[in-house]
Amino acid sequence: MPPLGLASISAYLTSRGLANDIIDCYAHPDSDELIIAHLLRERPAFIGFSCTTSSFFDGERLARLAKSTLPGVQVVFGGVHVSAMQEKVLEEYPVIDYVVVGEGEETLRELLATPAGQRDAVASVVLRGADGRPFFTGRRKELLDLDTLPFPDYAKLAGYPQAYTLPIFNYPKAPNASCLSSRGCPYACSYCDRSVFKRSFRYNSADYLYRHLSFLRKTYDIRHVNFYDDQFTFNRQRVADFCRMVMDAPLGMTFNCAARAEHLDFELLILMKSAGCWMISLGIETGDEELLAAHRQNPDLVMMREKIALIKKAGIRVKGLLMMGLPGETEASIKKSQKYVYSLPIDDFNLAKFTPFPGSPVYRQIKEAGTSMGTFHEDWEKMDCMQFQFIPKGMELARMEELFVDFYRAHFQRPRVMWSYVAMLWKSPDSWLRFLRHLPSFIRFTSTNKRIGKGK
Ligand code: SF4
Protein backbone atom coordinates (compact mmCIF):
# COMPACT_ATOMS: atom_id res chain seq x y z
CA MET A 1 0.00 0.00 0.00
CA PRO A 2 1.56 3.34 -1.00
CA PRO A 3 1.80 5.98 1.73
CA LEU A 4 -1.09 7.98 0.31
CA GLY A 5 -1.23 10.37 3.26
CA LEU A 6 2.43 11.31 2.81
CA ALA A 7 1.99 11.67 -0.95
CA SER A 8 -0.94 14.02 -0.37
CA ILE A 9 0.97 16.09 2.20
CA SER A 10 3.94 16.23 -0.14
CA ALA A 11 1.85 17.53 -3.03
CA TYR A 12 0.20 20.11 -0.76
CA LEU A 13 3.52 21.38 0.61
CA THR A 14 4.97 21.60 -2.89
CA SER A 15 1.94 23.57 -4.07
CA ARG A 16 2.63 26.03 -1.22
CA GLY A 17 6.29 26.42 -2.18
CA LEU A 18 7.81 24.07 0.43
CA ALA A 19 10.31 21.66 -1.12
CA ASN A 20 10.15 18.11 0.23
CA ASP A 21 10.83 14.47 -0.57
CA ILE A 22 9.50 11.04 0.49
CA ILE A 23 11.41 7.90 1.46
CA ASP A 24 9.07 4.95 1.92
CA CYS A 25 10.85 2.73 4.45
CA TYR A 26 8.42 -0.16 3.82
CA ALA A 27 9.24 -0.24 0.12
CA HIS A 28 13.00 0.15 0.66
CA PRO A 29 14.77 -2.15 3.09
CA ASP A 30 17.90 0.01 2.74
CA SER A 31 16.04 3.06 4.06
CA ASP A 32 18.68 3.81 6.74
CA GLU A 33 21.30 4.48 4.08
CA LEU A 34 18.82 6.39 1.92
CA ILE A 35 17.85 8.64 4.82
CA ILE A 36 21.47 9.33 5.83
CA ALA A 37 22.45 10.12 2.24
CA HIS A 38 19.42 12.38 1.81
CA LEU A 39 20.07 14.25 5.06
CA LEU A 40 23.73 14.86 4.19
CA ARG A 41 22.91 15.89 0.62
CA GLU A 42 19.83 18.07 1.15
CA ARG A 43 20.33 19.14 4.80
CA PRO A 44 16.57 19.58 5.42
CA ALA A 45 15.30 21.67 8.32
CA PHE A 46 12.65 19.07 9.20
CA ILE A 47 12.20 15.33 8.92
CA GLY A 48 8.71 13.86 9.34
CA PHE A 49 7.66 10.30 10.16
CA SER A 50 4.24 8.77 9.59
CA CYS A 51 3.92 5.64 11.74
CA THR A 52 1.40 3.05 12.73
CA THR A 53 1.48 1.56 16.23
CA SER A 54 3.63 -1.39 15.13
CA SER A 55 6.09 0.78 13.20
CA PHE A 56 6.41 3.51 15.83
CA PHE A 57 9.68 2.21 17.27
CA ASP A 58 11.17 1.92 13.77
CA GLY A 59 10.30 5.57 13.29
CA GLU A 60 11.75 6.55 16.65
CA ARG A 61 14.99 4.68 15.88
CA LEU A 62 15.24 6.39 12.49
CA ALA A 63 14.58 9.75 14.16
CA ARG A 64 17.57 9.16 16.46
CA LEU A 65 19.63 8.18 13.43
CA ALA A 66 18.54 11.39 11.67
CA LYS A 67 19.47 13.60 14.62
CA SER A 68 22.86 11.95 15.02
CA THR A 69 23.48 12.45 11.29
CA LEU A 70 22.22 16.01 11.10
CA PRO A 71 22.08 17.59 14.56
CA GLY A 72 19.55 20.39 14.54
CA VAL A 73 17.07 18.73 12.18
CA GLN A 74 13.58 19.06 13.66
CA VAL A 75 11.66 15.79 14.04
CA VAL A 76 7.91 15.68 13.42
CA PHE A 77 5.74 12.60 13.91
CA GLY A 78 2.25 12.14 12.49
CA GLY A 79 -0.29 9.42 11.87
CA VAL A 80 -2.90 7.51 13.79
CA HIS A 81 -0.73 6.23 16.65
CA VAL A 82 0.73 9.56 17.74
CA SER A 83 -2.62 11.30 17.14
CA ALA A 84 -4.00 8.99 19.82
CA MET A 85 -1.04 9.24 22.22
CA GLN A 86 -0.49 13.04 21.86
CA GLU A 87 1.55 14.50 24.79
CA LYS A 88 2.73 11.07 25.93
CA VAL A 89 4.84 10.82 22.78
CA LEU A 90 6.90 13.88 23.66
CA GLU A 91 7.02 12.95 27.34
CA GLU A 92 8.62 9.60 26.62
CA TYR A 93 10.60 10.16 23.40
CA PRO A 94 12.91 13.18 23.64
CA VAL A 95 14.11 12.81 20.05
CA ILE A 96 10.66 13.87 18.78
CA ASP A 97 10.12 17.64 18.63
CA TYR A 98 6.56 17.86 17.30
CA VAL A 99 3.50 15.68 16.87
CA VAL A 100 0.94 16.56 14.22
CA VAL A 101 -2.48 15.46 15.47
CA GLY A 102 -5.08 14.63 12.84
CA GLU A 103 -4.62 15.19 9.13
CA GLY A 104 -1.32 16.68 8.15
CA GLU A 105 -1.50 18.95 5.10
CA GLU A 106 -2.26 22.38 6.56
CA THR A 107 -0.89 21.70 10.05
CA LEU A 108 2.49 20.68 8.69
CA ARG A 109 2.56 23.60 6.27
CA GLU A 110 1.94 26.06 9.10
CA LEU A 111 4.46 24.33 11.34
CA LEU A 112 7.19 24.50 8.68
CA ALA A 113 6.39 28.12 7.80
CA THR A 114 6.25 29.43 11.39
CA PRO A 115 9.39 30.66 13.19
CA ALA A 116 10.56 28.48 16.09
CA GLY A 117 9.38 30.69 18.95
CA GLN A 118 5.83 31.05 17.59
CA ARG A 119 4.86 27.47 16.84
CA ASP A 120 2.57 27.25 19.85
CA ALA A 121 0.13 29.27 17.70
CA VAL A 122 -0.18 26.40 15.21
CA ALA A 123 -3.31 24.32 15.87
CA SER A 124 -3.28 20.50 16.05
CA VAL A 125 0.32 20.25 17.22
CA VAL A 126 1.95 18.81 20.35
CA LEU A 127 5.17 20.61 21.24
CA ARG A 128 7.27 21.45 24.30
CA GLY A 129 6.69 24.71 26.16
CA ALA A 130 9.38 26.97 27.66
CA ASP A 131 9.37 24.74 30.77
CA GLY A 132 10.08 21.70 28.59
CA ARG A 133 6.66 20.18 29.24
CA PRO A 134 4.69 18.92 26.23
CA PHE A 135 1.32 20.47 25.52
CA PHE A 136 -1.31 20.18 22.80
CA THR A 137 -2.40 23.33 20.97
CA GLY A 138 -5.91 21.93 20.36
CA ARG A 139 -7.53 20.58 17.23
CA ARG A 140 -7.92 22.96 14.31
CA LYS A 141 -11.50 24.06 13.68
CA GLU A 142 -11.36 24.49 9.92
CA LEU A 143 -10.45 21.52 7.77
CA LEU A 144 -9.49 21.69 4.12
CA ASP A 145 -12.04 21.12 1.37
CA LEU A 146 -10.68 17.88 -0.12
CA ASP A 147 -11.44 19.09 -3.65
CA THR A 148 -8.91 21.92 -3.18
CA LEU A 149 -6.06 19.45 -2.61
CA PRO A 150 -3.71 18.57 -5.46
CA PHE A 151 -3.56 14.89 -6.36
CA PRO A 152 -1.06 12.98 -4.20
CA ASP A 153 2.49 13.24 -5.53
CA TYR A 154 2.78 9.65 -6.74
CA ALA A 155 5.96 10.56 -8.64
CA LYS A 156 7.78 10.86 -5.30
CA LEU A 157 7.10 7.18 -4.52
CA ALA A 158 10.03 5.26 -5.99
CA GLY A 159 8.86 2.35 -8.12
CA TYR A 160 5.23 3.50 -8.28
CA PRO A 161 2.95 1.81 -9.29
CA GLN A 162 4.67 -1.60 -9.69
CA ALA A 163 6.19 -1.47 -6.20
CA TYR A 164 2.69 -1.10 -4.75
CA THR A 165 0.73 -3.80 -6.57
CA LEU A 166 -2.35 -4.99 -4.66
CA PRO A 167 -2.39 -8.40 -2.93
CA ILE A 168 -2.97 -11.33 -5.29
CA PHE A 169 -6.59 -12.23 -6.13
CA ASN A 170 -7.64 -8.71 -5.16
CA TYR A 171 -7.66 -7.24 -8.65
CA PRO A 172 -8.48 -8.25 -12.22
CA LYS A 173 -5.83 -6.19 -13.99
CA ALA A 174 -2.42 -4.62 -13.60
CA PRO A 175 -0.95 -2.06 -13.22
CA ASN A 176 -3.13 -1.26 -10.26
CA ALA A 177 -3.04 1.17 -7.37
CA SER A 178 -4.66 2.28 -4.13
CA CYS A 179 -6.44 5.59 -3.94
CA LEU A 180 -8.31 7.70 -1.37
CA SER A 181 -11.47 9.65 -2.16
CA SER A 182 -12.82 10.40 1.32
CA ARG A 183 -11.69 10.75 4.90
CA GLY A 184 -13.32 9.52 8.06
CA CYS A 185 -16.36 7.57 9.11
CA PRO A 186 -19.27 8.69 11.29
CA TYR A 187 -19.69 5.32 13.00
CA ALA A 188 -18.13 4.40 16.33
CA CYS A 189 -17.11 0.75 16.36
CA SER A 190 -15.37 -0.11 19.62
CA TYR A 191 -12.25 -1.47 17.93
CA CYS A 192 -11.70 1.40 15.49
CA ASP A 193 -9.24 4.20 16.18
CA ARG A 194 -10.76 7.47 14.95
CA SER A 195 -7.91 9.66 16.28
CA VAL A 196 -7.03 11.23 12.93
CA PHE A 197 -10.38 12.09 11.35
CA LYS A 198 -12.61 11.72 14.43
CA ARG A 199 -16.21 10.94 13.44
CA SER A 200 -16.39 13.26 10.45
CA PHE A 201 -16.89 12.23 6.84
CA ARG A 202 -15.41 14.42 4.10
CA TYR A 203 -15.09 13.46 0.52
CA ASN A 204 -13.99 14.38 -2.97
CA SER A 205 -16.78 15.27 -5.36
CA ALA A 206 -17.62 12.91 -8.20
CA ASP A 207 -15.98 15.34 -10.63
CA TYR A 208 -12.69 15.41 -8.66
CA LEU A 209 -12.79 11.63 -8.33
CA TYR A 210 -13.25 11.19 -12.06
CA ARG A 211 -10.36 13.57 -12.80
CA HIS A 212 -8.16 11.75 -10.25
CA LEU A 213 -8.74 8.36 -11.88
CA SER A 214 -8.30 9.86 -15.31
CA PHE A 215 -4.93 11.25 -14.15
CA LEU A 216 -3.87 7.82 -12.86
CA ARG A 217 -4.84 6.19 -16.13
CA LYS A 218 -3.12 8.76 -18.33
CA THR A 219 0.02 9.17 -16.22
CA TYR A 220 0.65 5.63 -14.97
CA ASP A 221 -1.62 3.50 -17.18
CA ILE A 222 -3.42 2.27 -14.04
CA ARG A 223 -6.12 -0.26 -14.97
CA HIS A 224 -7.58 -0.99 -11.55
CA VAL A 225 -7.92 1.08 -8.39
CA ASN A 226 -8.54 0.00 -4.82
CA PHE A 227 -10.33 2.77 -2.93
CA TYR A 228 -8.90 2.67 0.56
CA ASP A 229 -11.73 4.81 1.96
CA ASP A 230 -13.37 3.60 5.17
CA GLN A 231 -16.83 4.27 3.72
CA PHE A 232 -16.75 4.69 -0.04
CA THR A 233 -20.54 4.71 -0.45
CA PHE A 234 -21.48 6.76 2.62
CA ASN A 235 -22.54 9.62 0.34
CA ARG A 236 -24.69 7.72 -2.14
CA GLN A 237 -25.21 10.64 -4.52
CA ARG A 238 -21.52 11.27 -5.20
CA VAL A 239 -20.92 7.57 -5.93
CA ALA A 240 -23.93 7.45 -8.26
CA ASP A 241 -22.73 10.64 -10.02
CA PHE A 242 -19.20 9.25 -10.33
CA CYS A 243 -20.51 6.00 -11.81
CA ARG A 244 -22.62 7.86 -14.37
CA MET A 245 -19.58 9.94 -15.38
CA VAL A 246 -17.56 6.77 -15.93
CA MET A 247 -20.39 5.20 -17.91
CA ASP A 248 -20.66 8.33 -20.11
CA ALA A 249 -16.90 8.54 -20.71
CA PRO A 250 -15.26 5.20 -19.78
CA LEU A 251 -11.74 5.25 -18.36
CA GLY A 252 -10.95 1.60 -19.08
CA MET A 253 -10.49 0.96 -15.36
CA THR A 254 -12.08 -1.22 -12.71
CA PHE A 255 -12.20 -0.58 -8.98
CA ASN A 256 -12.63 -2.09 -5.51
CA CYS A 257 -14.02 -0.32 -2.49
CA ALA A 258 -15.03 -0.91 1.12
CA ALA A 259 -18.50 -0.13 2.39
CA ARG A 260 -20.89 -0.73 5.24
CA ALA A 261 -23.81 -2.92 4.27
CA GLU A 262 -26.29 -0.22 5.38
CA HIS A 263 -25.00 2.04 2.60
CA LEU A 264 -25.63 -0.26 -0.34
CA ASP A 265 -28.77 -0.81 -2.38
CA PHE A 266 -29.39 -2.72 -5.58
CA GLU A 267 -29.82 0.32 -7.81
CA LEU A 268 -26.50 1.74 -6.63
CA LEU A 269 -24.81 -1.64 -6.99
CA ILE A 270 -25.95 -1.92 -10.61
CA LEU A 271 -24.52 1.53 -11.30
CA MET A 272 -21.26 0.58 -9.60
CA LYS A 273 -21.00 -2.63 -11.58
CA SER A 274 -21.62 -0.74 -14.82
CA ALA A 275 -18.85 1.70 -13.85
CA GLY A 276 -16.36 -1.14 -13.30
CA CYS A 277 -16.73 -2.14 -9.64
CA TRP A 278 -14.96 -5.50 -9.30
CA MET A 279 -15.02 -6.19 -5.56
CA ILE A 280 -16.61 -4.71 -2.44
CA SER A 281 -15.13 -5.36 1.01
CA LEU A 282 -17.66 -5.48 3.82
CA GLY A 283 -16.89 -5.27 7.52
CA ILE A 284 -18.67 -8.33 8.91
CA GLU A 285 -16.27 -8.68 11.88
CA THR A 286 -18.01 -11.67 13.49
CA GLY A 287 -20.95 -13.95 12.78
CA ASP A 288 -21.98 -13.92 16.43
CA GLU A 289 -24.69 -11.26 16.69
CA GLU A 290 -24.42 -10.92 20.45
CA LEU A 291 -20.69 -10.29 20.27
CA LEU A 292 -21.19 -7.90 17.36
CA ALA A 293 -23.79 -5.94 19.33
CA ALA A 294 -21.21 -5.30 22.05
CA HIS A 295 -18.85 -3.67 19.58
CA ARG A 296 -20.72 -1.90 16.81
CA GLN A 297 -23.99 -0.27 15.87
CA ASN A 298 -26.64 -2.06 13.87
CA PRO A 299 -25.43 -5.64 14.39
CA ASP A 300 -27.92 -7.12 11.94
CA LEU A 301 -26.55 -10.30 10.37
CA VAL A 302 -29.77 -10.95 8.43
CA MET A 303 -29.42 -7.57 6.73
CA MET A 304 -25.74 -8.36 6.10
CA ARG A 305 -26.68 -11.61 4.36
CA GLU A 306 -29.30 -9.83 2.22
CA LYS A 307 -26.85 -7.11 1.17
CA ILE A 308 -24.21 -9.67 0.26
CA ALA A 309 -26.79 -11.45 -1.90
CA LEU A 310 -27.54 -8.13 -3.64
CA ILE A 311 -23.86 -7.49 -4.33
CA LYS A 312 -23.51 -10.95 -5.85
CA LYS A 313 -26.71 -10.45 -7.86
CA ALA A 314 -25.18 -7.27 -9.28
CA GLY A 315 -22.18 -9.34 -10.41
CA ILE A 316 -19.64 -7.89 -7.98
CA ARG A 317 -17.24 -9.95 -5.87
CA VAL A 318 -17.53 -9.74 -2.07
CA LYS A 319 -14.74 -9.85 0.44
CA GLY A 320 -15.64 -10.21 4.11
CA LEU A 321 -13.53 -8.45 6.72
CA LEU A 322 -13.47 -10.40 9.96
CA MET A 323 -11.88 -10.24 13.34
CA MET A 324 -11.10 -12.86 15.96
CA GLY A 325 -10.48 -12.27 19.65
CA LEU A 326 -12.71 -9.31 20.52
CA PRO A 327 -13.48 -8.89 24.22
CA GLY A 328 -16.28 -11.36 24.93
CA GLU A 329 -15.07 -13.83 22.29
CA THR A 330 -15.38 -17.51 23.22
CA GLU A 331 -14.71 -20.75 21.41
CA ALA A 332 -18.47 -21.00 20.83
CA SER A 333 -18.62 -17.51 19.26
CA ILE A 334 -15.69 -18.35 16.96
CA LYS A 335 -17.43 -21.53 15.78
CA LYS A 336 -20.66 -19.60 15.31
CA SER A 337 -18.85 -16.96 13.30
CA GLN A 338 -17.16 -19.60 11.15
CA LYS A 339 -20.49 -21.27 10.43
CA TYR A 340 -22.10 -17.96 9.50
CA VAL A 341 -19.23 -16.88 7.26
CA TYR A 342 -19.11 -20.20 5.43
CA SER A 343 -22.85 -19.96 4.80
CA LEU A 344 -22.40 -16.65 2.96
CA PRO A 345 -21.74 -16.47 -0.78
CA ILE A 346 -18.62 -14.36 -0.23
CA ASP A 347 -15.65 -14.83 -2.53
CA ASP A 348 -12.87 -14.08 -0.10
CA PHE A 349 -12.29 -12.97 3.44
CA ASN A 350 -9.62 -11.47 5.61
CA LEU A 351 -9.47 -12.57 9.23
CA ALA A 352 -7.58 -10.17 11.49
CA LYS A 353 -6.45 -10.87 15.02
CA PHE A 354 -8.20 -8.30 17.17
CA THR A 355 -5.77 -5.67 18.41
CA PRO A 356 -6.76 -2.93 20.87
CA PHE A 357 -5.13 0.12 19.31
CA PRO A 358 -4.58 3.21 21.44
CA GLY A 359 -7.31 5.64 20.46
CA SER A 360 -9.99 2.99 19.99
CA PRO A 361 -12.80 3.04 22.59
CA VAL A 362 -12.14 -0.59 23.49
CA TYR A 363 -8.48 0.14 24.32
CA ARG A 364 -9.55 2.43 27.15
CA GLN A 365 -12.16 -0.09 28.36
CA ILE A 366 -9.59 -2.89 28.43
CA LYS A 367 -7.04 -0.76 30.28
CA GLU A 368 -9.63 0.32 32.84
CA ALA A 369 -11.02 -3.19 33.30
CA GLY A 370 -7.65 -4.66 34.30
CA THR A 371 -7.81 -8.41 33.73
CA SER A 372 -11.59 -8.71 33.99
CA MET A 373 -12.01 -8.53 30.16
CA GLY A 374 -8.90 -10.57 29.39
CA THR A 375 -5.14 -10.21 29.33
CA PHE A 376 -3.49 -7.53 27.22
CA HIS A 377 0.24 -7.45 26.44
CA GLU A 378 0.73 -3.98 25.06
CA ASP A 379 3.75 -4.54 22.86
CA TRP A 380 3.42 -1.90 20.15
CA GLU A 381 5.81 -3.62 17.76
CA LYS A 382 3.56 -6.66 17.71
CA MET A 383 0.29 -4.74 17.35
CA ASP A 384 -0.19 -5.40 13.64
CA CYS A 385 -3.40 -7.51 13.65
CA MET A 386 -1.30 -10.59 12.86
CA GLN A 387 -0.52 -11.48 16.47
CA PHE A 388 -2.88 -11.92 19.40
CA GLN A 389 -1.90 -9.29 21.94
CA PHE A 390 -5.23 -9.50 23.76
CA ILE A 391 -6.58 -12.81 25.04
CA PRO A 392 -10.28 -12.63 25.99
CA LYS A 393 -11.21 -13.87 29.43
CA GLY A 394 -11.62 -17.64 29.46
CA MET A 395 -9.52 -18.19 26.30
CA GLU A 396 -5.96 -19.47 25.89
CA LEU A 397 -3.50 -18.13 23.32
CA ALA A 398 -2.59 -21.59 21.98
CA ARG A 399 -6.24 -22.48 21.43
CA MET A 400 -6.93 -19.18 19.71
CA GLU A 401 -4.03 -19.79 17.34
CA GLU A 402 -5.44 -23.23 16.51
CA LEU A 403 -8.90 -21.82 15.88
CA PHE A 404 -7.42 -19.07 13.71
CA VAL A 405 -5.55 -21.54 11.51
CA ASP A 406 -8.61 -23.77 11.34
CA PHE A 407 -10.79 -20.85 10.20
CA TYR A 408 -8.56 -20.32 7.16
CA ARG A 409 -7.68 -23.94 6.48
CA ALA A 410 -11.28 -25.13 6.46
CA HIS A 411 -12.16 -22.23 4.14
CA PHE A 412 -9.49 -23.13 1.59
CA GLN A 413 -10.51 -26.80 1.65
CA ARG A 414 -14.09 -26.11 0.52
CA PRO A 415 -14.71 -27.11 -3.14
CA ARG A 416 -16.55 -23.85 -3.92
CA VAL A 417 -13.62 -21.81 -2.64
CA MET A 418 -11.06 -23.93 -4.49
CA TRP A 419 -13.04 -23.48 -7.68
CA SER A 420 -13.20 -19.71 -7.17
CA TYR A 421 -9.39 -19.61 -7.08
CA VAL A 422 -9.22 -21.71 -10.25
CA ALA A 423 -11.61 -19.20 -11.85
CA MET A 424 -9.04 -16.51 -11.08
CA LEU A 425 -6.99 -18.00 -13.93
CA TRP A 426 -9.16 -15.97 -16.28
CA LYS A 427 -10.53 -13.38 -13.85
CA SER A 428 -7.11 -12.26 -12.62
CA PRO A 429 -4.32 -13.97 -14.61
CA ASP A 430 -1.72 -11.57 -13.24
CA SER A 431 -2.56 -12.80 -9.71
CA TRP A 432 -1.84 -16.38 -10.69
CA LEU A 433 1.49 -15.46 -12.25
CA ARG A 434 2.47 -13.67 -9.05
CA PHE A 435 1.12 -16.54 -6.95
CA LEU A 436 3.30 -19.05 -8.77
CA ARG A 437 6.31 -16.78 -8.40
CA HIS A 438 5.66 -16.60 -4.64
CA LEU A 439 4.57 -20.21 -4.11
CA PRO A 440 7.31 -21.00 -1.57
CA SER A 441 6.17 -18.21 0.75
CA PHE A 442 2.53 -19.33 0.32
CA ILE A 443 3.48 -22.83 1.44
CA ARG A 444 5.14 -21.30 4.48
CA PHE A 445 1.88 -19.42 5.16
CA THR A 446 -0.25 -22.57 5.09
CA SER A 447 1.95 -24.13 7.74
CA THR A 448 1.87 -21.10 10.04
CA ASN A 449 -0.87 -18.76 11.21
CA LYS A 450 0.09 -15.65 9.26
CA ARG A 451 -2.78 -14.22 7.23
CA ILE A 452 -2.57 -13.06 3.61
CA GLY A 453 -3.11 -9.39 2.87
CA LYS A 454 -4.12 -6.75 5.34
CA GLY A 455 -7.16 -4.58 5.87
CA LYS A 456 -9.76 -3.48 3.37
S1 SF4 B 1 -14.71 -0.04 11.69
FE1 SF4 B 1 -15.44 0.84 9.76
S2 SF4 B 1 -17.59 1.38 10.16
FE2 SF4 B 1 -16.62 1.08 12.17
S3 SF4 B 1 -15.98 3.13 12.81
FE3 SF4 B 1 -14.23 2.16 11.78
S4 SF4 B 1 -14.35 2.80 9.64
FE4 SF4 B 1 -16.35 3.21 10.60
Side-chain angles (χ1 to χ4, degrees), residues 121-360:
V122 180
S124 286
V125 169
V126 179
L127 72 169
R128 292 187 183 84
D131 59 1
R133 279 211 210 111
F135 68 97
F136 180 39
T137 58
R139 282 197 176 252
R140 60 183 53 245
K141 308 264 180 298
E142 298 282 316
L143 295 175
L144 293 170
D145 173 350
L146 298 188
D147 273 12
T148 64
L149 292 177
F151 300 144
D153 195 344
Y154 301 104
K156 286 216 177 83
L157 303 176
Y160 182 90
Q162 283 76 14
Y164 297 97
T165 300
L166 295 169
I168 56 171
F169 305 128
N170 276 260
Y171 59 87
K173 293 179 273 186
N176 49 58
S178 294
C179 183
L180 278 169
S181 76
S182 66
R183 293 181 180 182
C185 166
Y187 288 97
C189 303
S190 76
Y191 40 81
C192 191
D193 184 351
R194 314 268 77 216
S195 301
V196 171
F197 302 122
K198 306 307 275 183
R199 289 181 68 180
S200 63
F201 179 76
R202 288 150 57 232
Y203 53 91
N204 289 129
S205 65
D207 178 61
Y208 182 101
L209 187 48
Y210 183 87
R211 284 188 285 112
H212 193 170
L213 261 58
S214 180
F215 166 80
L216 288 171
R217 178 69 207 269
K218 284 188 187 130
T219 314
Y220 298 102
D221 197 28
I222 299 293
R223 302 302 178 109
H224 176 83
V225 157
N226 180 54
F227 287 110
Y228 211 72
D229 307 31
D230 288 330
Q231 293 285 346
F232 184 70
T233 61
F234 188 75
N235 184 312
R236 187 188 187 285
Q237 189 61 49
R238 76 144 190 156
V239 177
D241 290 347
F242 164 70
C243 291
R244 288 194 184 97
M245 281 179 188
V246 172
M247 287 154 66
D248 287 348
L251 293 167
M253 298 168 83
T254 49
F255 67 91
N256 295 348
C257 64
R260 256 182 91 118
E262 293 94 316
H263 300 288
L264 293 170
D265 59 74
F266 192 58
E267 192 190 336
L268 182 66
L269 288 165
I270 290 294
L271 275 175
M272 289 168 71
K273 172 69 182 174
S274 305
C277 184
W278 192 73
M279 183 167 80
I280 296 178
S281 294
L282 282 182
I284 301 170
E285 315 308 350
T286 169
D288 183 311
E289 214 160 74
E290 212 176 303
L291 183 62
L292 198 58
H295 294 283
R296 74 180 236 183
Q297 299 123 304
N298 204 11
D300 186 346
L301 292 178
V302 175
M303 179 269 295
M304 182 72 71
R305 183 185 296 283
E306 287 167 2
K307 293 298 174 89
I308 289 170
L310 287 184
I311 301 172
K312 295 299 296 177
K313 193 172 158 194
I316 299 171
R317 289 173 64 78
V318 186
K319 181 176 185 174
L321 304 176
L322 300 156
M323 210 177 272
M324 184 187 285
L326 283 160
E329 186 90 273
T330 61
E331 183 152 347
S333 67
I334 292 170
K335 295 281 183 200
K336 197 170 172 186
S337 187
Q338 199 166 356
K339 194 170 169 208
Y340 175 76
V341 171
Y342 289 5
S343 75
L344 298 170
I346 57 175
D347 300 283
D348 197 0
F349 70 79
N350 190 83
L351 179 62
K353 294 177 176 174
F354 163 69
T355 304
F357 288 107
S360 64

